[in-house]
Amino acid sequence: METTPSSTTVLALSVSIVVLLYLKFKRSSAQLHTIPTMGPSGPLSSYRGALNYLRNAPKIIQAGYYKHKSIFRVPYLDKWVVVLSSPELINDLRKARDDDLSAAHGFAATLAVNYTLGAGFVTNPYHVRVIQSSLTRSINARFADIHDEIVTAFQDEIGKLLNQNSGFDTSNWVVVPALKTVLRIVSCTSNRLFVGVELCRNTDYRDLNIEFAEDVMKSAKVINLFPNVLKPLVGPMFSPLPRGMARAKKHLVPMIEERLKVEEEYGKDWEGRPNDLISWLLEHATGEERTVSNLIQRILMINFVAIHTTASSFTQALYHLAAAPEYVAPLREELEAALLDDGWSKAAMGKCVKLDSFLRESQRFNGVSAINMNRMVTNPAGFTFSDGTHLPRGSFIAAATYATHHDDAHYANADMFDGFRFVPRGVGAGGEGATESAKFGMVTPDAAFLSFGLGKHACPGRFFAVTELKVMLAHILQNYDVKLEREGVLPPSEWFGTTCVANRSANVLFKKRT
Ligand code: HEM
Ligand SMILES: *[C@@H]1O[C@H](CO)[C@@H](O)[C@H](O)[C@H]1NC(C)=O
Ligand SMILES: *[C@@H]1O[C@H](CO)[C@@H](O)[C@H](O)[C@H]1NC(C)=O
C-alpha cells in the first residue's frame, strides 16, 4: 500500500539531511584548512558559496587559478574539491599510483555510479582495458565501416532534407539543429563499431543510448544532493538503470545469447566471428561479467562515456567551421591531397594535420568540462604533492582544465580561436611535409592540453573519438557548405556546473557543396 508521507516526516527528513550535509562539509573543511578557499568558508556562508559555485563554476575556478597560483578549493554542497592550477601539481596527479589517488572513486562520486551506471563501472573496470586494447587496435580494420556509417547517417539526417527541399536546385540551404543531429550521427557511428550495421540503425536503440546518458547525468545530480548515508535509500528511487536496461534488453538479448552460445561451443576462433564490441568484451570478461545482463550493462556504460563527449566536441568544431569560412579552402586542399594518396583510410586522416589542429584547437577552446582528472585520495596516510602540500584520505582533487587552456602563459592569445595553432612547422599548403606522427596530434595530451586527461587514466577512447571527429568533419568538407544563422556569430556554450555542452538550440545551415 502506498502512503503519502506526512509533512512532519518530510520536515524531519529535510532537517536531518541538512544537518548531515553540514557535518560532512565541516569535517571536510577542517581537514583542508591549509588550502586557500574560493568564496566564503564560514559554516553557513560557504553554503551560499556552494550555490554560487553551481551557477558560476568556470568563472570561480578561473579566478582561483590566477589568484592562487598552484592549489585552491571550491565548495560543493557536501564537500570541498581541491583544484590544481600548476603544471607541476597536475604532473603529480599524472604520476600518482592508483593506491594513492583513485580515478575510479573520482568518477564514482561525481556520477553516483552505484545507482546510475552500476557498481561494476568502478569495482571491475575491465571495459577500460577492452577500449585500450581491442577497440583501439581495431580502428584500422573497421575504418571502412566507420566511414560508411558516417556517410549513411549524414545522408539520413541532412542529405534527405536537401533532396526534399531543393530537388536539383543546389542553391538552397537547409536548417539543421546541430547538437541533436550530431548526437544521432555519433550514436549510429559508435554503435556500428560496437554492435554492427543492423542494430546501429535501429532508431529506438540509437535514441536509447543518447537518452540513457542524459538520464544518468540527471539522476546523479539528484542523488548527489543527499548525504552518503541516505544514498542507499534514495539511489534506487532515482536510478535510470531499470528502465534503461529493460529498453536495451529488447534489442540486445537475442544477439548476446547467440554469441555466448557460439563462444561456448567454439571458443574464440570461429569463422565469421564479428570484430565488434561483444567479441572484445568476451575476450576480457570473466565470471559473473559473462552474463547477458552484465554484458548489456557494460554496453550501456561504454555508450555513456562515448557519445555525448564526442557529439558535443564535434558540434563545437562544426560551429567554429560554420562561423569562419576562411578555414574551408585550406582544410579541403589538405583533405583532397590526402584522399588522392590514400583514399578514405586511417592513413589519410593521419596526414590531415590541419584538420587535426582545427579539432584540437576547438577542444582546447571549449572542452567538455572546467575540471578534469577527478581523483579521490585513497591512501590512509593521505597524499603529499611534490611541493609538500598534504591532503588527507577522502579528499577530492581535480585539474583546472579550462583555465589552463585559456592561460596566455600556455597559449599565445589564449582567448582567440586559432584553428591552425597546432599545425607542425614546415607543413605546406597542400599538406606536404606532414608525417603521420601522432606526437603533436590531438590524441596526445600534455600538461597544457588536458581535454582527455593525462597519464595512465587519460581517456582510452580518444583514438577512436579523434578518428570519428576527423572523418565527420572531413565528410562535411567534402560534401557540404555550412554557415550559421547569424553569420559569423559563434553560438555560446552552455554550462551546467563544471560541465560544458555545445549550444543545444543553435542551427547550422547546410547546402550541397558547390
Ligand atoms: C571527444 C570525446 C571524448 C572526450 C573529450 C573524453 C574525455 C575524457 C576524460 C577527460 C576522461 C578522464 C581522464 C582522466 O581523468 O585522466 C575520460 C575517461 C574515459 N573515457 Fe573518454 N572522452 C571522449 C571519448 C570517449 C570515447 C569515444 C570512449 C569509448 C569508446 C571513452 C571512454 C572513456 C573511459 C572508459 C574513460 C575512463 C578511463 C579510466 O578510468 O581509466 N571516451 N574521457
Ligand atoms: C558501491 O557498491 C560497491 C559494491 O557493491 C560497494 O563496495 C561500495 O562501497 C559502494 N559505494 C558507495 C559509494 O556506495
Ligand atoms: C544558443 O545559441 C542561440 C543562437 O546563437 C542563442 O540564441 C542562445 O541564446 C544560445 N543559448 C545559450 C544558452 O547561450
Side-chain angles (χ1 to χ4, degrees), residues 25 79 188 253 356 360 397 430 448 467 479:
F25 184 86
K79 60 174 178 281
C188 288
V253 166
D356 188 287
R360 180 172 170 137
I397 315 176
T467 300
N479 295 284

Side-chain angles (χ1 to χ4, degrees), residues 114-115 119 123:
N114 277 13
Y115 313 105
T123 54

Side-chain angles (χ1 to χ4, degrees), residues 387-404:
D387 71 349
T389 306
H390 180 82
L391 299 178
R393 177 189 196 173
S395 308
F396 287 90
I397 315 176
T401 302
Y402 185 86
T404 301

Side-chain angles (χ1 to χ4, degrees), residues 183-377:
L183 274 166
R184 288 176 169 182
I185 294 171
V186 170
S187 180
C188 288
T189 306
S190 310
N191 279 286
R192 175 75 179 263
L193 184 68
F194 298 166
V195 296
V197 65
E198 249 166 74
L199 193 48
C200 81
R201 291 182 189 169
N202 177 299
T203 51
D204 185 67
Y205 179 77
R206 176 197 69 189
D207 294 345
L208 151 70
N209 284 303
I210 296 171
E211 289 157 20
F212 176 70
E214 288 160 0
D215 292 345
V216 166
M217 307 282 270
K218 278 185 219 149
S219 350
K221 274 204 188 97
V222 175
I223 294 167
N224 278 336
L225 289 176
F226 292 87
N228 282 346
V229 289
L230 289 177
K231 279 180 187 156
L233 204 73
V234 290
M237 280 160 51
F238 292 102
S239 174
L241 259 181
R243 215 160 45 106
M245 283 294 288
R247 197 169 163 195
K249 278 181 176 167
K250 276 195 312 215
H251 299 289
L252 285 162
V253 166
M255 191 171 174
I256 293 185
E257 274 179 347
E258 172 68 21
R259 295 284 286 277
L260 278 168
K261 211 176 85 199
V262 184
E263 292 261 337
E264 196 154 303
E265 200 166 330
Y266 301 103
K268 281 182 194 171
D269 298 306
W270 45 280
E271 206 173 312
R273 178 174 180 262
N275 188 16
D276 68 3
L277 182 60
I278 301 175
S279 294
W280 306 328
L281 286 172
L282 290 174
E283 280 164 19
H284 292 82
T286 53
E288 62 175 12
E289 292 303 333
R290 297 181 74 86
T291 60
V292 176
S293 186
N294 282 352
L295 288 163
I296 292 178
Q297 201 166 329
R298 205 55 72 158
I299 293 173
L300 283 179
M301 287 177 198
I302 295 173
N303 271 286
F304 170 81
V305 287
I307 292 180
H308 284 261
T309 45
T310 308
S312 180
S313 301
F314 185 72
T315 305
Q316 301 279 25
L318 177 58
Y319 289 151
H320 281 289
L321 185 72
E326 66 270 21
Y327 285 105
V328 171
L331 286 171
R332 274 184 182 155
E333 195 180 338
E334 175 189 77
L335 174 66
E336 276 154 18
L339 291 180
L340 211 59
D341 284 352
D342 298 284
W344 282 98
S345 62
K346 196 159 172 279
M349 294 300 107
K351 286 184 181 166
C352 292
V353 292
K354 289 179 184 164
L355 188 66
D356 188 287
S357 167
F358 189 87
L359 287 161
R360 180 172 170 137
E361 173 69 349
S362 174
Q363 200 71 18
R364 173 192 78 82
F365 196 80
N366 307 290
V368 293
S369 179
I371 51 172
N372 277 353
M373 303 178 75
N374 295 289
R375 303 285 185 267
M376 189 178 100
V377 180

Side-chain angles (χ1 to χ4, degrees), residues 161-174 512:
L161 283 178
L162 279 165
N163 289 340
Q164 279 164 17
N165 227 28
S166 54
F168 295 103
D169 177 4
T170 54
S171 65
N172 280 351
W173 293 90
V174 292
K512 283 185 187 134

